[in-house]
Amino acid sequence: GGGSFEVAVGEAGHIRYATSAPVGATRLRGELGVGDVLGEAGVRAVQQRTAGVLDEIAGALARYKGVARRTVVSGGTARALARLATARTREDGAGMTGGVNQVELPAEQVAHMVALLCGLTLKQRLALPGMPPRRAAMIPVGAAILSTLASVLGVERYVVSEWGLREGAILDALGSF
């Protein structure tokens, strides 16, 4: 719902570490009073707020050397960024509304998208090829959060998953029959 992000480390059905942090695009947009254009000052505020909750998480992830380099990410912001990235790399604009499962977003690309998105008005963001209308208002804040996570936690690439916690809970419940 845009109010938090979750971090988990695991393998083959065994969770080694999991936590939730109260940082999400909707929450930060409201708490920081972000307007239509995020701007550089808004990006800095999002970065500071996000980095402020990452100390404990970074310490916990340090036990798992290199685990964050290639990070699976799900949720509306991740899917929207993948759609934008896909549309920007296609000359014909095709594939803008298709699936984005397994699309890889290098951290540098996310940082470039923050630089682009933070200076655009909502109307300008809506005009971007691949921009999902539902995500246009929140995407600059969400992208700034992901860029900060990459910088602080050492993420080199995000791999977008169209599935999230809800689908995992359903699969888990079905496995108990």
Side-chain angles (χ1 to χ4, degrees):
S4 65
F5 68 83
E6 286 64 45
V7 175
V9 176
E11 59 193 3
H14 179 71
I15 297 173
R16 299 203 178 272
Y17 173 77
T19 192
S20 181
V23 173
T26 304
R27 179 186 299 249
L28 287 190
R29 188 166 189 260
E31 287 179 2
L32 299 173
V34 173
D36 184 34
V37 177
L38 181 59
E40 289 180 24
V43 170
R44 282 191 302 277
V46 171
Q47 290 170 334
Q48 290 171 346
R49 176 73 165 79
T50 303
V53 302
L54 290 176
D55 287 341
E56 183 180 321
I57 294 169
L61 293 182
R63 295 183 297 220
Y64 309 100
K65 187 147 177 81
V67 72
R69 280 195 300 250
R70 191 165 184 256
T71 296
V72 176
V73 63
S74 66
T77 293
R79 289 189 307 272
L81 287 173
R83 283 187 182 91
L84 283 172
T86 301
R88 289 177 65 84
T89 59
R90 300 279 310 253
E91 286 184 32
D92 61 1
M96 294 184 296
T97 59
V100 292
N101 200 44
Q102 303 297 312
V103 166
E104 293 203 16
L105 296 172
E108 305 87 42
Q109 185 176 25
V110 174
H112 289 300
M113 292 177 90
V114 172
L116 167 73
L117 295 168
C118 79
L120 300 179
T121 65
L122 177 60
K123 184 176 180 178
Q124 291 169 321
R125 290 191 302 272
L126 285 167
L128 292 173
M131 175 60 73
R134 281 189 59 214
R135 297 291 171 182
M138 301 298 164
I139 194 88
V141 177
I145 291 169
L146 283 176
S147 183
T148 304
L149 290 170
S151 177
V152 173
L153 300 178
V155 175
E156 295 171 6
R157 304 183 81 67
Y158 286 111
V159 180
V160 177
S161 173
E162 290 183 340
W163 285 26
L165 291 173
R166 189 175 314 128
E167 291 82 4
I170 291 169
L171 290 174
D172 190 47
L174 290 173
S176 63
F177 284 102

